[in-house]
Amino acid sequence: MTETHRVPGVPDGPTPPDVPTHSEGPEGAPPPDGPAPLPPPALLDGRAVEPEELRALALTGYGHFTTLRVEDGRVRGLDLHLERLTRDGRALFGVAPDPGRVRELLRRSLGLFAAASAEEPPTVTARVTVFDPALDIVRPEAADRPAVLVTLRPVPDGGATPSPLRLRTVRCVRELPEIKHTALLGALRRRREARREGWDDALFVDAAGLIAEGPTWNIGLCVAESGPAGDRPGAARVVWPRAAALPGVTAALLRERCGAGSGHAHVPVRRDALPEIAGGTVRAAFVTNATVGVRPVAAVDDLELDPAHPLITELAERYRALPGDPL
């Protein structure tokens, strides 16, 4: 008989079978400090989700989401995350989740996480997924009552500064790139292939050979004047690719609140030399998303870039200094 685990404060609902009592360490061994606390359950509209309710999401992939990093009960760009949920909800379902309700559900999940761990308040990555559990693959037009699923996970590597990425370019344009949807097959397949070949991730290039985005991030380019003048401190500026891509929250915060600039340009892939765009030369690049903030790029294909460029360091510091909005 499978033992179930109950979390105080969660409304009644069956717990998925075979919930682990601890996370595994290296090679499948328990962590050296003993069993870890149970993670909070996934909450669907504020209650423990039943496995059957995830069937439509698992079998169709029809939904949308946003991912937030929560620190001290605050979220950078919370207003932009809520705007994304509203915009994408109307596009996919004709209705949008109530922003106040989303904040309430996030607070509840965080409270359960804090009760199950020694961290108060917790620093976590939260994902808010919107989908209709009653969606029928034959009659999808009837899906107009989406529910809100909140899941939490620890911040990767405890929030340590991430190492620079080595990227492999690949021809890919996500379906409906302006929407953060749950259909991740194409993006994750490219990431999987790149990593299996020894790269850290994939960089998507459109049919015209222009840089667009990555599987779960946007990319910014540090452009400086060609020649020695471009090496002067402060000489570089940020240029964003002008190609079909997700309007990322972190990229928007960097442009609007961290002085990263709003310049866009068509960025061709160059394998033999640093690309020349917007009247200058690309000296460095960085990727952005809510989980890692700003992460430098060490190389694109065989082209080496400067992961320690001072402009990247400055933008990362400005981003970390942004005050989050309280949930």
Side-chain angles (χ1 to χ4, degrees):
M1 180 176 179
T2 302
E3 180 184 1
T4 59
H5 303 269
R6 300 291 303 280
V7 178
V10 178
D12 290 339
T15 303
D18 302 324
V19 177
T21 57
H22 63 266
S23 59
E24 294 185 344
E27 305 301 329
D33 295 331
L38 285 172
L43 298 186
L44 185 66
D45 285 342
R47 56 176 175 75
V49 63
E50 300 182 15
E52 181 64 25
E53 293 176 304
L54 298 176
R55 178 184 293 272
L57 181 62
L59 297 183
T60 69
Y62 193 92
H64 64 97
F65 70 102
T66 195
T67 301
L68 320 87
R69 177 163 169 161
V70 186
E71 299 176 82
D72 297 326
R74 293 175 172 268
V75 177
R76 295 182 186 88
L78 178 61
D79 55 333
L80 300 180
H81 285 287
L82 295 174
E83 289 173 10
R84 166 186 282 164
L85 291 174
T86 297
R87 181 178 63 249
D88 292 353
R90 288 172 177 163
L92 294 186
F93 294 105
V95 294
D98 177 69
R101 176 64 170 160
V102 171
R103 296 174 74 165
E104 176 188 342
L105 296 175
L106 281 165
R107 289 194 299 267
R108 179 165 201 168
S109 293
L110 289 166
L112 293 172
F113 187 97
S117 69
E119 189 175 2
E120 176 64 41
T123 297
V124 296
T125 298
R127 171 166 159 162
V128 179
T129 305
V130 181
F131 72 103
D132 190 339
L135 184 142
D136 184 344
I137 197 170
V138 178
R139 292 179 290 275
E141 74 280 4
D144 59 0
R145 298 186 63 183
V148 177
L149 176 70
V150 177
T151 52
L152 306 178
R153 69 179 189 271
V155 173
D157 300 321
T161 301
S163 59
L165 290 169
R166 301 186 70 85
L167 306 176
R168 188 192 76 167
T169 57
V170 59
R171 190 65 56 87
C172 179
V173 177
R174 293 187 307 109
E175 184 176 10
L176 297 175
E178 72 278 8
I179 294 178
K180 195 173 180 71
H181 52 72
T182 57
L184 299 177
L185 171 63
L188 293 186
R189 183 169 73 87
R190 270 70 174 196
R191 170 175 284 173
R192 181 176 187 270
E193 291 173 347
R195 292 183 62 83
R196 285 172 64 89
E197 294 180 7
W199 301 89
D200 295 314
D201 212 340
L203 174 59
F204 297 164
V205 176
D206 66 14
L210 301 176
I211 290 174
E213 61 181 345
T216 55
W217 38 260
N218 295 113
I219 187 167
L221 307 165
C222 300
V223 177
E225 295 179 30
S226 301
D231 295 324
R232 295 195 313 265
R237 66 189 188 281
V238 175
V239 174
W240 304 90
R242 182 180 292 139
L246 181 76
V249 168
T250 304
L253 290 174
L254 288 169
R255 287 193 298 269
E256 299 168 9
R257 305 176 194 180
C258 296
S262 58
H264 287 70
H266 294 301
V267 185
V269 173
R270 293 285 302 278
R271 299 176 185 273
D272 56 345
L274 293 170
E276 299 283 340
I277 62 170
T281 303
V282 175
R283 303 297 180 94
F286 58 92
V287 306
T288 68
N289 67 21
T291 300
V292 301
V294 176
R295 184 173 185 176
V297 173
V300 175
D301 295 326
D302 295 329
L303 185 64
E304 300 291 329
L305 296 172
D306 179 10
H309 196 283
L311 181 54
I312 298 178
T313 302
E314 181 180 352
L315 289 174
E317 292 174 352
R318 290 182 185 178
Y319 179 76
R320 286 193 295 267
L322 284 178
D325 302 311
L327 283 172

